[in-house]
Amino acid sequence: MNPILDAIEVDEIRDDFPILQQKVHGKPLIYFDNAATSQKPRAVIEALNDFYVHYNANVHRGIHALAERATKEYERARERCARFINAESPESVIFTRGTTESINLVAYSWARNNLKKGDEILITWMEHHSNTVPWYQVCEHTGAVIKRIGLNPDGTLKLDDLDKLITDRTKLVAVTQVSNVLGTINPIRLIADAAHRKGALILVDGAQSVPHMAVDVQALGCDFFAFSGHKMCGPTASGVLWGKRNLLEAMPPFLGGGEMIREVWPDHAVYNDLPYKFEAGTPNIAESIGLGVAADYLTRIGLDRIREHEKEITRYALARLEEFSDIVVYGPRDIEQRAGLVAFTVGDIHPHDLATFLDQEGVAIRAGHHCTMPLHKKLGITATARASFYLYNTQDEVDVFIEALRKAKKFFGACPTGRELGY
Ligand code: C6P
């Protein structure tokens, strides 16, 4: 079997995504902002439509036909998500609105109840604000402190002193599997083993990994794993927190309300079992069902093949970007350590100007700090431009992107570099 999606397959895949057929500013849309959110295939759009047209009802409450069907599909989505990340049971899959909410659930329910003054939370310099700010809040609440794993010059994690960084006071290591700026793929199993040797837990932010590579939470050896549906072809406001069952069972509920209880007495409540204990109120039913469909859609195409396809595009994009002598590309060059995104700057053109110019050419990229202000401060910059790829992108699109960059350079009159001037 050819491990890489061939041109015909990509054409077929593109047909699944109606949004890609349009023009933007009179140019064919080239969507390179997949790390922010991916586009949705017809199967997911139709699943949402089907829910609202045929069986919209609340779950786990009604005993009428619609409610029973909604409940069945909602729980089927949980099974699909569990299979997608190889969770040992669907009960350890909690539906949330996304990575941010999943991490906050752990911060509020586990960390605030298990950390005390002087305890340490180890994060890294490449964490998204979602895997940073909740821990700052835990520290404000408990008196625990944040420590960080450093970065090597190539944008990989500095792991040589990991066993020293994780101390007897470290209670949690919270790390992203893939950086949304550097693209770095972190060796989670190695970090998890080091954390467990010291009795610490590990939470993995899977927002940028789950959509693009096969993830097995058990093989990774993590304790908590968070991801978002909207970056993996699923609807917005869908996502998952997976946790080891014994940990989730010992944690108090995050939010109180309907559905998360078994009994409510005049003066106290008895909480429900997993996963409902963590799903207070009417959940995001349609979105979770759509997420289950997205997980099956990606599985059908094959996560390993999607990863290979993105590797090819990224390798090509990195090579073509090198045609610009004043380009700075962040993150590892080794494609085995890099996911399908490239953050960069070109000369002294502000990334926002670049993104605005590229938009006029039909190319959607993101610019800014990408919710990683500490990382940008560490790199000594305020912003980067970022192109992020997915299964429906092609090398031809990279060519258009490169030509658009060339035009942008000309338009902004970027100073020629010494290399371009021949010295
Ligand atoms: N990064 C980006 O453009 P939510 O918003 O909860 O779905 O995901 C948050 C999140 C957490 N971790 C990582 C590594 C992420 O990349 C993101 C979202 C988007 O890079 C929006 S800032």
Side-chain angles (χ1 to χ4, degrees):
M1 183 187 77
N2 178 3
I4 302 164
L5 303 171
D6 64 35
I8 296 165
E9 280 176 288
V10 174
D11 278 351
E12 282 171 11
I13 288 169
R14 289 180 70 84
D15 282 346
D16 290 342
F17 291 80
I19 204 168
L20 298 177
Q21 321 303 329
Q22 70 183 288
K23 289 191 171 172
V24 169
H25 304 303
K27 312 268 169 60
L29 168 65
I30 293 179
Y31 188 76
F32 281 176
D33 195 18
N34 295 287
T37 197
S38 75
Q39 298 304 345
K40 322 300 173 201
R42 235 177 271 279
V44 170
I45 298 166
E46 281 166 9
L48 294 176
N49 200 48
D50 192 36
F51 172 77
Y52 286 117
V53 171
H54 295 117
Y55 63 100
N56 172 47
N58 216 324
V59 288
H60 305 131
R61 289 161 172 83
I63 43 169
H64 52 81
L66 265 52
E68 278 176 7
R69 181 159 172 215
T71 303
K72 200 169 133 235
E73 292 299 331
Y74 182 71
E75 290 308 323
R76 194 165 115 188
R78 198 188 305 279
E79 284 163 21
R80 287 170 151 167
C81 289
R83 253 197 321 272
F84 192 62
I85 56 169
N86 194 31
E88 72 293 359
S89 74
E91 291 81 41
S92 53
V93 168
I94 318 291
F95 282 133
T96 65
R97 287 186 304 120
T99 308
T100 304
E101 188 178 306
S102 298
I103 295 174
N104 274 277
L105 194 163
V106 178
Y108 275 85
S109 176
W110 180 81
R112 286 185 184 225
N113 291 297
N114 285 280
L115 269 65
K116 57 179 186 326
K117 196 169 168 22
D119 283 344
E120 294 168 359
I121 300 173
L122 185 61
I123 64 173
T124 81
W125 276 106
M126 63 174 78
E127 296 313 315
H128 188 273
H129 295 165
S130 298
N131 202 22
T132 303
V133 181
W135 310 124
Y136 288 174
Q137 292 174 309
V138 166
C139 290
E140 281 166 24
H141 188 77
T142 62
V145 293
I146 298 284
K147 283 170 66 179
R148 279 187 168 85
I149 302 176
L151 296 177
N152 293 314
D154 70 348
T156 55
L157 287 179
K158 215 162 181 289
L159 294 172
D160 16 332
D161 54 354
L162 185 60
D163 278 320
K164 277 198 216 107
L165 268 177
I166 305 176
T167 72
D168 293 338
R169 279 171 297 171
T170 309
K171 292 290 178 303
L172 179 73
V173 180
V175 58
T176 193
Q177 189 171 10
V178 168
S179 160
N180 66 324
V181 175
L182 302 170
T184 317
I185 303 173
N186 292 320
I188 296 300
R189 182 73 215 205
L190 185 144
I191 302 170
D193 288 347
H196 291 150
R197 276 198 294 276
K198 293 278 173 58
L201 298 187
I202 176 166
L203 174 142
V204 176
D205 172 348
Q208 299 292 354
S209 59
V210 161
H212 305 281
M213 57 190 69
V215 165
D216 177 334
V217 289
Q218 297 187 74
L220 287 177
C222 54
D223 297 294
F224 298 108
F225 191 93
F227 66 93
S228 301
H230 70 97
K231 295 185 199 292
M232 52 168 277
C233 298
T236 51
S238 65
V240 162
L241 171 72
W242 170 85
K244 279 190 182 150
R245 202 184 174 117
N246 61 324
L247 293 170
L248 293 174
E249 272 170 352
M251 283 158 54
F254 172 35
L255 299 171
E259 192 55 28
M260 49 72 72
I261 49 85
R262 189 195 302 281
E263 289 171 352
V264 180
W265 295 83
D267 59 348
H268 75 284
V270 180
Y271 304 132
N272 209 338
D273 294 331
L274 289 177
Y276 315 114
K277 180 172 80 170
F278 292 112
E279 293 178 5
T282 299
N284 40 358
I285 305 168
E287 291 80 1
S288 300
I289 291 171
L291 172 56
V293 172
D296 274 13
Y297 177 82
L298 293 175
T299 304
R300 249 192 330 273
I301 291 167
L303 271 297
D304 289 340
R305 301 171 76 225
I306 292 171
R307 166 80 181 124
E308 288 303 319
H309 177 72
E310 290 179 20
K311 260 165 62 176
E312 283 304 299
I313 292 187
T314 310
R315 207 192 317 263
Y316 184 66
L318 286 170
R320 293 236 42 204
L321 283 168
E322 269 171 19
E323 292 169 17
F324 299 91
S325 53
D326 53 353
I327 200 125
V328 178
V329 169
Y330 296 88
R333 290 305 167 107
D334 173 6
I335 207 74
E336 297 307 324
Q337 296 191 71
R338 177 192 266 281
L341 62 92
V342 184
F344 60 94
T345 53
V346 186
D348 53 6
I349 307 174
H350 194 283
H352 281 150
D353 289 339
L354 210 51
T356 307
F357 188 95
L358 261 59
D359 177 54
Q360 292 302 311
E361 299 294 314
V363 183
I365 62 162
R366 188 176 168 188
H369 55 64
H370 315 292
C371 299
T372 58
M373 288 176 89
L375 172 65
H376 279 72
K377 284 193 183 9
K378 183 84 172 159
L379 296 172
I381 49 176
T382 53
T384 47
R386 184 189 67 189
S388 51
F389 314 117
Y390 210 7
L391 70 168
Y392 37 68
N393 291 128
T394 64
Q395 292 194 356
D396 290 349
E397 290 182 316
V398 173
D399 289 337
V400 177
F401 159 69
I402 294 290
E403 280 324 301
L405 276 183
R406 218 179 286 289
K407 274 196 200 167
K409 262 198 84 170
K410 208 161 161 197
F411 178 83
F412 290 109
C415 301
T417 60
R419 206 158 103 205
E420 280 166 344
L421 293 171
Y423 57 83

